Amino acid sequence: MCLALPCKVVAIDGETATIDVSGMKKDISLALLDDVAVGDYVIVHVGYALTKLDPDEAEKTLALFAEMGEQAMAEAAREIH
Amino acid sequence: MKYIDEFRDGDLARGLSAAIRQAAVPARSYHFMEFCGGHTHAISRYGVADLLPDNVRMIHGPGCPVCVLPVGRVDMAIRLALDCGVTLCTYGDTLRVPASDSLSLMKAKARGGDIRMVYSSADALKVAQANPEKQVVFFAIGFETTTPPTAVAIKQAQALGLKNFSVLCCHVLTPSAISTILESPEVRQWGTVPLDGFIGPAHVSTIIGSQPYEFFAEEYRKPVVIAGFEPLDVMQAILMLVKQVNEGRAVVENEFSRAVTREGNVKAQNLVAEVFELRRQFEWRGLNVVPYSGLKIRKEFAEFDAEQRFPVAYVSVADNRACECGAILRGVKKPQDCKLFGTVCTPENPVGSCMVSSEGACAAHYTYGRYKDFQ
């Protein structure tokens, strides 16, 4: 029951936000978070936004995956030759 | 989908798999516990274990809130519905948890109990507002992710002056469970496995931050890497743990920096502190009674506490003797080591709680991994 998806906020009305998940709209509560703006991604769990996604950190993490993988693949290629 | 698909990329997974193979020292073995059921689910669903070298073993921990809910607590919810005549609102996962007398909340509903599945604590509050003639109880379970929403519901009920809403509070705390795994006397009964590190919770950590795990790294010399629930997150965390072990380090690292900070969600923490206080003890399925591991409603909010309002005292009930959930939750046994697994105990007819939620170790292995057992 802890599975939860990052969802895009498309509208805000007071403490209620509308999120879009692959075209499906749903209202959630922003009671646990301040400073959410339309366009932000939030992790939604049991109808509440728990935290905002940091786009810069997401990019850095993906870049790290790629870097680790490329190094390992290059190393493996060297071992084969 | 943004922030989802890119963390499931096959090419990146192959690269990370190669990196783990190169980092893992062949002469030694690595045992890492993924605490969260969300990680267990990802590992089973995406076949992460198959991408790891043989000397890196993942152990499923007790971080599935449904799996650790003891029979006696489900019995209380059933008594509320059947004996006290309340409308019981519950998250869907709890409906099929086996209880006493061959009952579950689902079967109690079939017997006439007014039991309703809700998606959110706010929905339970709406049920109370719409049915002023009925007493409505929210069966509140879960770790630090579901606790703040329950606190919000109680505060809103107070603000609205609702007289027909209360909460059966069964919220539990992650750090207490990790401590118990590391030092409880029951380890003698169940045996223990060597643990070289933990994959720390994803969504729990969005609330409590990474700071609470620093204690484990320092006191027990166990590395902790907090990781997201996507397969690449889990693989990166395993790589980071292998490197820490190789270097003899034991610190908290945060792979899930896109969502987790050291401090966590302070607003949510303050709400929880305002509404709840520690219970002296709370029984967990599989871990027995764990001191200061659960929360109860503060006396300032006693009118919203179902345990104060209705005569439903907790009675401890032993699990089915053949069920190995206790040993599985501690990582001592695998689901396939249980005689009941896949025979009488299936996701359609769970005997133990690890088979109920899709995040339970048994349900995850039954759904995604059991055919490999026959190879």
Side-chain angles (χ1 to χ4, degrees):
Chain A
M1 65 177 288
C2 281
L3 301 179
L5 292 173
C7 307
K8 188 176 185 178
V9 174
V10 293
I12 294 176
D13 180 12
E15 273 200 345
T16 302
T18 306
I19 51 164
D20 183 313
V21 189
S22 296
M24 201 178 75
K25 301 271 201 306
K26 186 169 173 29
D27 285 346
I28 59 149
S29 170
L30 294 179
L32 303 177
L33 270 187
D34 295 323
D35 305 328
V36 178
V38 171
D40 284 345
Y41 279 79
V42 291
I43 289 181
V44 177
H45 184 54
V46 294
Y48 288 76
L50 298 184
T51 186
K52 279 204 287 189
L53 263 286
D54 183 332
D56 294 338
E57 289 294 330
E59 288 303 322
K60 276 189 220 164
T61 303
L62 285 169
L64 186 66
F65 292 165
E67 186 192 335
M68 292 287 172
E70 278 161 21
Q71 276 176 9
M73 290 303 204
E75 181 86 9
R78 269 200 300 278
E79 282 171 13
I80 291 167
H81 291 295
Chain B
M1 285 187 285
K2 198 164 164 60
Y3 298 119
I4 299 173
D5 294 340
E6 58 269 53
F7 292 89
R8 297 176 182 175
D9 182 275
D11 288 335
L12 290 176
R14 273 185 284 279
L16 284 175
S17 173
I20 293 168
R21 280 174 197 281
Q22 285 165 12
V25 177
R28 65 161 300 161
S29 60
Y30 302 81
H31 296 84
F32 301 128
M33 176 175 273
E34 85 272 5
F35 180 84
C36 272
H39 291 129
T40 303
H41 182 88
I43 288 167
S44 295
R45 181 172 176 188
Y46 297 100
V48 170
D50 296 339
L51 299 171
L52 302 176
D54 291 340
N55 58 337
V56 177
R57 198 188 138 200
M58 301 309 294
I59 295 153
H60 311 306
C64 161
V66 180
C67 303
V68 296
L69 190 65
V71 170
R73 285 268 149 193
V74 187
D75 286 350
M76 287 169 85
I78 291 173
R79 288 208 302 278
L80 281 168
L82 292 184
D83 301 343
C84 304
V86 311
T87 298
L88 190 90
C89 295
T90 175
Y91 293 129
D93 290 26
T94 58
L95 283 171
R96 293 183 307 118
V97 179
S100 298
D101 305 324
S102 302
L103 275 175
S104 64
L105 283 166
M106 190 99 90
K107 289 175 185 166
K109 185 178 171 70
R111 285 195 185 177
D114 186 1
I115 295 165
R116 305 185 192 186
M117 193 189 100
V118 291
Y119 175 68
S120 155
S121 60
D123 292 344
L125 208 57
K126 283 181 199 155
V127 172
Q129 283 179 286
N131 299 278
E133 77 290 355
K134 293 278 292 186
Q135 282 294 328
V136 175
V137 176
F138 177 54
F139 186 25
I141 77 151
F143 288 95
E144 290 88 343
T145 38
T146 48
T147 311
T150 305
V152 171
I154 289 174
K155 290 218 14 157
Q156 285 177 340
Q158 187 183 51
L160 291 164
L162 285 186
K163 300 294 175 203
N164 67 327
F165 178 79
S166 56
V167 170
L168 177 58
C169 179
C170 303
H171 287 301
V172 285
L173 303 168
T174 306
S176 313
I178 295 181
S179 298
T180 301
I181 292 164
L182 288 169
E183 65 181 15
S184 78
E186 287 80 25
V187 162
R188 268 179 254 134
Q189 178 193 342
W190 296 107
T192 189
V193 287
L195 282 179
D196 298 302
F198 286 91
I199 296 188
H203 295 150
V204 160
S205 305
T206 66
I207 301 294
I208 66 174
S210 64
Q211 192 269 334
Y213 307 105
E214 290 168 7
F215 170 78
F216 300 104
E218 287 162 15
E219 286 295 312
Y220 298 101
R221 301 294 302 153
K222 299 289 180 195
V224 180
V225 176
I226 290 157
F229 281 150
E230 298 302 336
L232 295 187
D233 290 318
V234 177
M235 293 183 72
Q236 176 68 22
I238 293 167
L239 178 59
M240 290 162 82
L241 283 169
V242 167
K243 286 184 172 178
Q244 280 207 45
V245 170
N246 289 350
E247 293 161 16
R249 292 187 299 129
V251 297
V252 176
E253 293 179 319
N254 182 11
E255 184 279 338
F256 200 30
S257 58
R258 63 189 184 277
V260 169
T261 60
R262 184 171 182 270
E263 293 73 29
N265 183 334
V266 175
K267 186 177 182 185
Q269 291 168 19
N270 289 339
L271 272 164
V272 169
E274 187 185 342
V275 176
F276 299 105
E277 62 186 14
L278 281 174
R279 285 182 196 266
R280 291 218 173 147
Q281 53 184 36
F282 192 84
E283 184 171 10
W284 296 52
R285 191 187 292 244
L287 301 184
N288 296 334
V289 174
V290 182
Y292 299 105
S293 64
L295 295 174
K296 65 178 179 182
I297 296 166
R298 283 188 186 278
K299 64 175 186 303
E300 292 88 331
F301 296 92
E303 60 181 311
F304 303 102
D305 186 348
E307 287 180 75
Q308 303 288 332
R309 191 178 280 200
F310 302 100
V312 281
Y314 178 73
V315 179
S316 177
V317 179
D319 292 326
N320 184 311
R321 253 191 282 169
C323 176
E324 299 276 16
C325 277
I328 292 165
L329 287 169
R330 286 171 185 276
V332 181
K333 290 191 175 174
K334 296 179 193 167
Q336 55 270 43
D337 296 332
C338 177
K339 273 187 285 189
L340 305 180
F341 176 80
T343 55
V344 291
C345 186
T346 62
E348 293 76 33
N349 179 34
V351 175
S353 54
C354 295
M355 193 58 100
V356 174
S357 164
S358 66
E359 294 139 63
C362 293
H365 187 66
Y366 185 92
T367 308
Y368 300 112
R370 74 191 139 120
Y371 294 115
K372 282 187 294 188
D373 296 344
F374 303 112
Q375 287 173 4

